[in-house]
Amino acid sequence: MSLIVQKFGGSSVADNERIFNVANIITRAYNQGNDIVVVVSAQGDTTDELIEKAVSINPNASRREMDMLLSAGEQMSVALLAMAIEKLGYPVVSLLGWQAGFETTSTYSAARIKRIRTDRIKKELDKKNIVIVAGFQGINRFDDITTLGRGGSDTSAVAIAAAMKADLCQIYTDVEGVYTADPRKVPNAVKLEVISYDEMLELATLGAQVLNNRSVEMAKKYDIELEVLSSLKQSSGTIVKENTNMEKMLISGVAKDCNVARISIIGVPDRPGLAFKVFSLLARKDINVDIIIQSVGREGEKDIAFTVAAGKGDEAVRVLEEHRAVIGETARVIKDEDVAKISIVGAGMESHAGVASTMFEALYDAQINIQMITTSEIKVSVLIDKDDADRAVSAIHSKFFD
Ligand code: ASP
Ligand code: MG
Protein backbone atom coordinates (compact mmCIF):
# COMPACT_ATOMS: atom_id res chain seq x y z
CA MET A 1 0.00 0.00 0.00
CA SER A 2 1.26 3.44 -0.89
CA LEU A 3 0.47 6.97 0.17
CA ILE A 4 -0.35 9.08 -2.87
CA VAL A 5 -0.84 12.86 -2.91
CA GLN A 6 -2.89 14.06 -5.87
CA LYS A 7 -3.31 17.74 -6.71
CA PHE A 8 -6.00 19.04 -9.06
CA GLY A 9 -5.88 22.55 -10.49
CA GLY A 10 -8.83 24.87 -10.94
CA SER A 11 -9.56 23.86 -14.54
CA SER A 12 -9.71 20.18 -13.51
CA VAL A 13 -12.67 20.90 -11.19
CA ALA A 14 -14.26 23.73 -13.18
CA ASP A 15 -17.76 22.20 -13.45
CA ASN A 16 -19.81 19.21 -12.23
CA GLU A 17 -18.72 16.94 -15.04
CA ARG A 18 -15.08 17.65 -14.32
CA ILE A 19 -15.59 17.22 -10.58
CA PHE A 20 -16.97 13.73 -11.20
CA ASN A 21 -14.11 13.03 -13.60
CA VAL A 22 -11.66 13.92 -10.82
CA ALA A 23 -13.67 11.90 -8.29
CA ASN A 24 -13.24 8.89 -10.60
CA ILE A 25 -9.47 9.37 -10.83
CA ILE A 26 -9.27 9.57 -7.04
CA THR A 27 -11.45 6.56 -6.30
CA ARG A 28 -9.60 4.48 -8.91
CA ALA A 29 -6.35 5.05 -7.02
CA TYR A 30 -8.14 4.38 -3.71
CA ASN A 31 -9.52 1.09 -5.08
CA GLN A 32 -5.99 -0.04 -5.81
CA GLY A 33 -5.46 -0.04 -2.05
CA ASN A 34 -3.66 3.29 -1.65
CA ASP A 35 -4.03 5.97 0.98
CA ILE A 36 -5.06 9.12 -0.85
CA VAL A 37 -4.63 12.75 0.12
CA VAL A 38 -5.99 15.19 -2.44
CA VAL A 39 -5.25 18.91 -2.73
CA VAL A 40 -7.58 21.07 -4.83
CA SER A 41 -7.58 24.63 -6.12
CA ALA A 42 -10.62 26.85 -6.47
CA GLN A 43 -12.89 26.03 -9.42
CA GLY A 44 -12.05 27.63 -12.78
CA ASP A 45 -11.69 31.40 -12.53
CA THR A 46 -13.13 31.64 -9.02
CA THR A 47 -10.05 33.26 -7.49
CA ASP A 48 -9.95 35.96 -10.20
CA GLU A 49 -13.68 36.58 -9.76
CA LEU A 50 -13.30 36.94 -6.00
CA ILE A 51 -10.50 39.46 -6.53
CA GLU A 52 -12.72 41.44 -8.91
CA LYS A 53 -15.48 41.42 -6.35
CA ALA A 54 -13.13 42.69 -3.66
CA VAL A 55 -11.82 45.46 -5.90
CA SER A 56 -15.37 46.59 -6.68
CA ILE A 57 -15.92 47.18 -2.97
CA ASN A 58 -12.51 48.38 -1.89
CA PRO A 59 -9.48 48.43 -4.19
CA ASN A 60 -7.26 48.92 -1.15
CA ALA A 61 -8.66 46.12 0.97
CA SER A 62 -6.23 44.80 3.57
CA ARG A 63 -4.35 41.64 2.73
CA ARG A 64 -5.88 39.97 5.76
CA GLU A 65 -9.39 40.42 4.41
CA MET A 66 -8.24 39.41 0.91
CA ASP A 67 -7.01 36.10 2.32
CA MET A 68 -10.25 35.62 4.21
CA LEU A 69 -12.09 36.07 0.91
CA LEU A 70 -9.83 34.15 -1.48
CA SER A 71 -9.57 31.10 0.77
CA ALA A 72 -13.33 30.69 0.26
CA GLY A 73 -12.71 29.52 -3.32
CA GLU A 74 -10.90 26.41 -2.11
CA GLN A 75 -13.44 25.90 0.69
CA MET A 76 -16.10 25.51 -1.99
CA SER A 77 -14.13 23.15 -4.21
CA VAL A 78 -13.09 20.74 -1.42
CA ALA A 79 -16.68 20.41 -0.22
CA LEU A 80 -18.07 19.88 -3.74
CA LEU A 81 -15.43 17.30 -4.60
CA ALA A 82 -16.07 15.46 -1.31
CA MET A 83 -19.80 15.44 -2.09
CA ALA A 84 -19.11 13.89 -5.50
CA ILE A 85 -16.97 11.19 -3.88
CA GLU A 86 -19.70 10.54 -1.29
CA LYS A 87 -22.13 10.13 -4.16
CA LEU A 88 -19.86 7.48 -5.70
CA GLY A 89 -20.11 5.67 -2.39
CA TYR A 90 -16.67 6.18 -0.88
CA PRO A 91 -15.64 7.39 2.60
CA VAL A 92 -14.28 10.92 2.32
CA VAL A 93 -13.63 14.02 4.40
CA SER A 94 -12.74 17.54 3.29
CA LEU A 95 -10.44 19.76 5.37
CA LEU A 96 -9.54 23.44 5.22
CA GLY A 97 -5.89 24.42 5.50
CA TRP A 98 -6.01 24.98 9.26
CA GLN A 99 -7.83 21.70 9.87
CA ALA A 100 -5.16 19.89 7.87
CA GLY A 101 -2.51 21.51 10.10
CA PHE A 102 -0.98 24.06 7.70
CA GLU A 103 0.89 26.55 9.90
CA THR A 104 2.30 29.49 7.97
CA THR A 105 4.20 32.72 8.46
CA SER A 106 1.99 35.72 9.10
CA THR A 107 2.50 37.54 5.78
CA TYR A 108 -1.00 37.66 4.34
CA SER A 109 -1.27 36.90 0.59
CA ALA A 110 2.31 35.61 0.49
CA ALA A 111 2.56 33.31 3.48
CA ARG A 112 5.11 30.52 3.64
CA ILE A 113 4.41 27.13 5.14
CA LYS A 114 6.31 26.68 8.42
CA ARG A 115 5.14 23.18 9.24
CA ILE A 116 2.21 20.85 8.76
CA ARG A 117 0.85 19.13 11.83
CA THR A 118 -0.24 15.95 10.13
CA ASP A 119 -2.11 14.24 13.01
CA ARG A 120 -5.56 15.05 11.65
CA ILE A 121 -4.76 13.85 8.13
CA LYS A 122 -3.23 10.66 9.58
CA LYS A 123 -6.25 10.06 11.78
CA GLU A 124 -8.57 10.38 8.76
CA LEU A 125 -6.41 8.03 6.68
CA ASP A 126 -6.47 5.50 9.53
CA LYS A 127 -10.25 5.61 9.30
CA LYS A 128 -9.81 4.74 5.58
CA ASN A 129 -11.13 8.12 4.50
CA ILE A 130 -10.07 9.79 1.29
CA VAL A 131 -8.80 13.16 2.53
CA ILE A 132 -9.50 16.28 0.47
CA VAL A 133 -7.45 19.30 1.55
CA ALA A 134 -7.98 22.93 0.50
CA GLY A 135 -4.85 24.13 -1.30
CA PHE A 136 -3.34 27.62 -1.17
CA GLN A 137 -4.24 28.32 2.48
CA GLY A 138 -3.12 27.96 6.07
CA ILE A 139 -3.28 29.65 9.42
CA ASN A 140 -0.79 32.00 11.10
CA ARG A 141 0.20 32.51 14.72
CA PHE A 142 -2.69 34.92 15.21
CA ASP A 143 -5.10 32.14 14.21
CA ASP A 144 -5.92 34.06 11.05
CA ILE A 145 -6.37 32.55 7.60
CA THR A 146 -3.43 33.14 5.25
CA THR A 147 -2.88 32.31 1.58
CA LEU A 148 0.35 31.27 -0.09
CA GLY A 149 0.23 33.54 -3.15
CA ARG A 150 -1.25 32.86 -6.58
CA GLY A 151 -0.81 29.31 -7.78
CA GLY A 152 -0.02 28.23 -4.23
CA SER A 153 -1.93 24.94 -4.31
CA ASP A 154 0.99 23.18 -6.01
CA THR A 155 3.09 24.13 -2.99
CA SER A 156 0.40 22.84 -0.61
CA ALA A 157 0.50 19.47 -2.36
CA VAL A 158 4.28 19.15 -2.34
CA ALA A 159 4.38 20.23 1.31
CA ILE A 160 1.94 17.48 2.29
CA ALA A 161 3.91 14.95 0.26
CA ALA A 162 7.09 16.01 2.09
CA ALA A 163 5.52 16.09 5.55
CA MET A 164 3.83 12.69 5.12
CA LYS A 165 6.72 11.11 3.21
CA ALA A 166 4.36 10.20 0.39
CA ASP A 167 5.37 7.60 -2.16
CA LEU A 168 4.09 9.65 -5.07
CA CYS A 169 2.98 13.24 -5.70
CA GLN A 170 0.84 13.68 -8.80
CA ILE A 171 0.04 17.13 -10.12
CA TYR A 172 -3.01 16.89 -12.38
CA THR A 173 -3.57 19.79 -14.74
CA ASP A 174 -5.15 20.58 -18.12
CA VAL A 175 -2.00 19.82 -20.13
CA GLU A 176 -0.44 16.40 -20.55
CA GLY A 177 2.88 17.27 -19.00
CA VAL A 178 5.88 19.53 -19.52
CA TYR A 179 6.65 20.29 -23.16
CA THR A 180 9.74 21.48 -25.01
CA ALA A 181 7.75 24.64 -25.88
CA ASP A 182 4.18 25.88 -25.49
CA PRO A 183 2.25 23.23 -27.50
CA ARG A 184 -0.49 25.74 -28.35
CA LYS A 185 2.08 27.89 -30.18
CA VAL A 186 4.64 25.36 -31.37
CA PRO A 187 2.83 22.42 -33.01
CA ASN A 188 5.84 20.08 -33.01
CA ALA A 189 6.62 20.63 -29.32
CA VAL A 190 7.18 17.29 -27.61
CA LYS A 191 6.25 16.10 -24.15
CA LEU A 192 9.23 15.40 -21.92
CA GLU A 193 9.28 12.07 -20.10
CA VAL A 194 11.52 13.42 -17.39
CA ILE A 195 12.99 16.77 -16.39
CA SER A 196 15.30 17.73 -13.53
CA TYR A 197 14.25 20.02 -10.69
CA ASP A 198 16.73 22.67 -11.83
CA GLU A 199 15.50 22.69 -15.40
CA MET A 200 11.86 22.73 -14.26
CA LEU A 201 12.66 25.58 -11.92
CA GLU A 202 14.09 27.61 -14.79
CA LEU A 203 11.11 26.82 -17.00
CA ALA A 204 8.63 27.55 -14.20
CA THR A 205 10.25 30.90 -13.48
CA LEU A 206 10.38 31.71 -17.20
CA GLY A 207 6.64 31.43 -17.46
CA ALA A 208 6.07 27.87 -18.66
CA GLN A 209 3.08 27.89 -16.27
CA VAL A 210 2.74 24.19 -15.56
CA LEU A 211 4.05 24.25 -12.00
CA ASN A 212 4.41 27.02 -9.49
CA ASN A 213 8.14 27.62 -8.95
CA ARG A 214 7.99 27.50 -5.16
CA SER A 215 6.53 24.02 -5.36
CA VAL A 216 9.47 22.90 -7.49
CA GLU A 217 11.93 24.45 -5.03
CA MET A 218 10.27 22.54 -2.24
CA ALA A 219 10.19 19.28 -4.19
CA LYS A 220 13.91 19.64 -4.83
CA LYS A 221 14.66 20.43 -1.20
CA TYR A 222 12.78 17.40 0.11
CA ASP A 223 13.52 15.17 -2.88
CA ILE A 224 9.86 14.61 -3.76
CA GLU A 225 9.40 13.12 -7.20
CA LEU A 226 6.56 14.85 -9.04
CA GLU A 227 4.44 13.56 -11.87
CA VAL A 228 2.73 16.24 -13.97
CA LEU A 229 -0.18 14.80 -15.94
CA SER A 230 -3.56 15.58 -17.45
CA SER A 231 -6.80 15.06 -15.56
CA LEU A 232 -8.71 15.03 -18.85
CA LYS A 233 -6.73 12.55 -20.88
CA GLN A 234 -5.30 9.26 -19.69
CA SER A 235 -1.64 9.24 -20.67
CA SER A 236 1.68 9.23 -18.90
CA GLY A 237 2.90 12.67 -17.90
CA THR A 238 6.28 14.19 -17.11
CA ILE A 239 8.36 13.14 -14.11
CA VAL A 240 10.22 15.93 -12.30
CA LYS A 241 13.13 14.61 -10.27
CA GLU A 242 16.83 14.87 -9.57
CA ASN A 243 18.45 13.93 -12.85
CA THR A 244 21.15 11.38 -13.38
CA ASN A 245 23.93 12.31 -15.78
CA MET A 246 22.78 9.85 -18.38
CA GLU A 247 19.39 11.44 -18.72
CA LYS A 248 20.66 14.96 -19.22
CA MET A 249 19.00 16.41 -22.29
CA LEU A 250 20.98 18.97 -24.21
CA ILE A 251 17.94 21.24 -24.31
CA SER A 252 14.75 20.52 -22.43
CA GLY A 253 12.73 23.51 -23.48
CA VAL A 254 12.31 26.91 -25.08
CA ALA A 255 10.37 29.42 -23.01
CA LYS A 256 8.96 32.87 -23.62
CA ASP A 257 8.40 35.57 -21.02
CA CYS A 258 6.58 38.70 -22.19
CA ASN A 259 6.23 40.05 -18.69
CA VAL A 260 9.41 42.12 -18.87
CA ALA A 261 10.43 45.74 -19.17
CA ARG A 262 13.85 47.01 -20.11
CA ILE A 263 15.17 50.05 -18.29
CA SER A 264 18.14 51.92 -19.75
CA ILE A 265 20.08 54.62 -17.97
CA ILE A 266 22.06 56.48 -20.59
CA GLY A 267 25.09 58.55 -19.65
CA VAL A 268 25.73 57.81 -15.99
CA PRO A 269 29.06 58.79 -14.39
CA ASP A 270 31.74 56.15 -15.04
CA ARG A 271 32.78 55.86 -11.39
CA PRO A 272 33.34 53.05 -8.87
CA GLY A 273 30.22 52.27 -6.84
CA LEU A 274 27.70 53.39 -9.46
CA ALA A 275 26.26 49.91 -10.10
CA PHE A 276 26.23 49.22 -6.38
CA LYS A 277 24.23 52.37 -5.69
CA VAL A 278 21.77 51.92 -8.55
CA PHE A 279 20.96 48.31 -7.75
CA SER A 280 20.74 48.78 -4.02
CA LEU A 281 18.18 51.56 -4.61
CA LEU A 282 16.10 49.04 -6.55
CA ALA A 283 16.67 46.22 -4.07
CA ARG A 284 15.48 48.41 -1.23
CA LYS A 285 12.18 48.80 -3.11
CA ASP A 286 12.00 45.03 -3.63
CA ILE A 287 12.43 45.39 -7.38
CA ASN A 288 14.01 42.24 -8.75
CA VAL A 289 16.48 42.81 -11.55
CA ASP A 290 17.18 40.13 -14.13
CA ILE A 291 19.46 40.71 -17.15
CA ILE A 292 22.02 43.49 -16.66
CA ILE A 293 24.41 44.97 -19.19
CA GLN A 294 26.83 47.83 -18.79
CA SER A 295 28.63 49.54 -21.65
CA VAL A 296 32.32 50.30 -21.75
CA GLY A 297 33.01 53.74 -20.32
CA ARG A 298 33.76 56.65 -22.71
CA GLU A 299 34.60 60.22 -21.79
CA GLY A 300 33.73 59.62 -18.15
CA GLU A 301 30.27 58.23 -18.90
CA LYS A 302 28.66 54.84 -19.45
CA ASP A 303 25.24 53.26 -19.93
CA ILE A 304 23.53 50.64 -17.79
CA ALA A 305 20.51 48.65 -18.90
CA PHE A 306 18.59 45.97 -17.07
CA THR A 307 15.27 44.17 -17.09
CA VAL A 308 12.58 43.96 -14.43
CA ALA A 309 9.10 42.41 -14.34
CA ALA A 310 6.77 44.55 -16.48
CA GLY A 311 4.67 45.52 -13.46
CA LYS A 312 7.74 47.00 -11.77
CA GLY A 313 8.89 49.12 -14.72
CA ASP A 314 7.25 52.41 -13.72
CA GLU A 315 8.38 52.09 -10.14
CA ALA A 316 11.96 51.40 -11.23
CA VAL A 317 11.95 54.54 -13.38
CA ARG A 318 10.49 56.57 -10.53
CA VAL A 319 13.10 55.38 -8.03
CA LEU A 320 15.92 56.27 -10.41
CA GLU A 321 14.47 59.69 -11.29
CA GLU A 322 14.14 60.46 -7.58
CA HIS A 323 17.85 59.78 -7.06
CA ARG A 324 19.59 62.14 -9.42
CA ALA A 325 22.45 62.35 -6.90
CA VAL A 326 23.24 58.75 -7.83
CA ILE A 327 22.67 58.68 -11.60
CA GLY A 328 23.75 62.28 -12.32
CA GLU A 329 21.76 65.29 -13.50
CA THR A 330 22.17 64.59 -17.22
CA ALA A 331 21.49 60.84 -17.39
CA ARG A 332 18.39 59.73 -19.32
CA VAL A 333 16.15 56.97 -17.97
CA ILE A 334 14.20 55.08 -20.64
CA LYS A 335 11.65 52.30 -20.20
CA ASP A 336 10.73 49.87 -22.99
CA GLU A 337 7.96 47.33 -22.47
CA ASP A 338 7.86 46.04 -26.05
CA VAL A 339 10.37 43.36 -25.24
CA ALA A 340 10.28 39.63 -24.56
CA LYS A 341 12.75 37.27 -22.98
CA ILE A 342 13.31 34.01 -24.83
CA SER A 343 15.27 31.29 -23.07
CA ILE A 344 16.57 27.83 -23.72
CA VAL A 345 16.98 25.57 -20.72
CA GLY A 346 18.93 22.34 -20.54
CA ALA A 347 21.12 20.57 -18.02
CA GLY A 348 23.23 19.17 -20.87
CA MET A 349 24.55 22.67 -21.68
CA GLU A 350 26.98 22.45 -18.81
CA SER A 351 29.07 19.95 -20.72
CA HIS A 352 28.43 20.94 -24.34
CA ALA A 353 29.97 23.84 -26.23
CA GLY A 354 28.09 25.70 -28.94
CA VAL A 355 24.58 25.60 -27.53
CA ALA A 356 24.34 29.37 -27.26
CA SER A 357 25.70 29.87 -30.77
CA THR A 358 23.10 27.46 -32.17
CA MET A 359 20.41 29.56 -30.54
CA PHE A 360 21.91 32.77 -31.96
CA GLU A 361 22.13 31.18 -35.40
CA ALA A 362 18.41 30.37 -35.27
CA LEU A 363 17.69 34.01 -34.47
CA TYR A 364 20.02 35.21 -37.23
CA ASP A 365 18.33 32.92 -39.77
CA ALA A 366 15.00 34.46 -38.72
CA GLN A 367 16.55 37.95 -38.89
CA ILE A 368 15.67 38.70 -35.27
CA ASN A 369 17.87 41.17 -33.46
CA ILE A 370 19.18 40.43 -29.96
CA GLN A 371 19.14 43.32 -27.51
CA MET A 372 20.61 41.63 -24.45
CA ILE A 373 22.02 38.23 -23.57
CA THR A 374 22.48 36.43 -20.30
CA THR A 375 23.56 32.90 -19.48
CA SER A 376 23.74 30.51 -16.54
CA GLU A 377 25.00 26.94 -16.37
CA ILE A 378 21.73 25.54 -17.68
CA LYS A 379 20.12 28.53 -19.41
CA VAL A 380 20.67 31.07 -22.17
CA SER A 381 18.27 34.01 -22.34
CA VAL A 382 17.99 36.76 -24.91
CA LEU A 383 15.93 39.90 -24.89
CA ILE A 384 14.26 40.70 -28.20
CA ASP A 385 11.41 42.74 -29.66
CA LYS A 386 8.07 41.53 -28.30
CA ASP A 387 6.60 41.29 -31.83
CA ASP A 388 9.24 38.70 -32.73
CA ALA A 389 8.65 36.53 -29.66
CA ASP A 390 6.56 33.70 -31.13
CA ARG A 391 8.64 33.58 -34.30
CA ALA A 392 11.79 33.36 -32.20
CA VAL A 393 10.47 30.47 -30.11
CA SER A 394 9.52 28.52 -33.26
CA ALA A 395 12.84 29.20 -34.97
CA ILE A 396 14.87 28.16 -31.94
CA HIS A 397 12.69 25.14 -31.27
CA SER A 398 13.09 23.90 -34.87
CA LYS A 399 16.83 24.36 -34.75
CA PHE A 400 17.17 22.13 -31.69
CA PHE A 401 14.37 19.63 -32.12
CA ASP A 402 13.62 19.10 -35.82
N1 ASP B 1 -6.81 29.37 -6.41
C1 ASP B 1 -5.51 29.94 -6.24
C2 ASP B 1 -5.12 30.74 -7.46
O1 ASP B 1 -5.86 30.77 -8.40
C3 ASP B 1 -4.46 28.93 -5.90
C4 ASP B 1 -4.17 27.94 -7.00
O2 ASP B 1 -4.90 27.83 -7.96
O3 ASP B 1 -3.16 27.25 -6.89
O4 ASP B 1 -4.10 31.36 -7.47
MG1 MG C 1 -6.28 28.65 -9.60
Side-chain angles (χ1 to χ4, degrees), residues 7 9-10 41-44 47-48 70 73-74 135-136 149-154:
K7 184 260 168 177
S41 301
Q43 289 184 283
T47 309
D48 291 326
L70 297 194
E74 273 71 13
F136 175 58
R150 296 306 306 271
S153 298
D154 290 343

Side-chain angles (χ1 to χ4, degrees), residues 100-103 113-119 121 156 159-161 163:
F102 275 79
E103 296 182 0
I113 300 165
K114 286 204 295 197
R115 73 180 73 78
I116 305 178
R117 297 199 185 281
T118 53
D119 344 353
I121 296 180
S156 307
I160 291 187

Side-chain angles (χ1 to χ4, degrees), residues 49-51 53-54 64-73:
E49 287 160 15
L50 289 172
I51 292 174
K53 215 170 229 174
R64 181 193 182 280
E65 298 310 329
M66 285 306 286
D67 283 5
M68 191 61 118
L69 180 69
L70 297 194
S71 61

Side-chain angles (χ1 to χ4, degrees), residues 200-209 211-213 217 257 341:
M200 191 62 237
L201 211 46
E202 290 289 2
L203 289 176
T205 315
L206 294 170
Q209 278 176 359
L211 279 176
N212 178 275
N213 59 348
E217 270 168 21
D257 182 3
K341 186 170 72 169

Side-chain angles (χ1 to χ4, degrees), residues 232-282:
L232 304 170
K233 205 165 159 182
Q234 270 197 50
S235 62
S236 64
T238 301
I239 303 283
V240 187
K241 63 172 191 175
E242 199 62 66
N243 240 355
T244 64
N245 274 335
M246 272 183 63
E247 288 163 333
K248 277 187 184 171
M249 301 248 303
L250 186 55
I251 296 298
S252 58
V254 185
K256 170 183 90 169
D257 182 3
C258 287
N259 175 35
V260 271
R262 189 192 62 203
I263 311 290
S264 315
I265 327 174
I266 312 292
V268 288
D270 189 14
R271 278 200 304 262
L274 196 277
F276 161 64
K277 286 176 196 157
V278 164
F279 293 110
S280 50
L281 280 178
L282 298 166

Side-chain angles (χ1 to χ4, degrees), residues 32-66:
Q32 288 161 357
N34 301 300
D35 280 344
I36 311 287
V37 180
V38 175
V39 173
V40 242
S41 301
Q43 289 184 283
D45 297 327
T46 303
T47 309
D48 291 326
E49 287 160 15
L50 289 172
I51 292 174
E52 261 172 50
K53 215 170 229 174
V55 170
S56 74
I57 288 194
N58 176 2
N60 300 313
S62 66
R63 288 172 170 227
R64 181 193 182 280
E65 298 310 329
M66 285 306 286

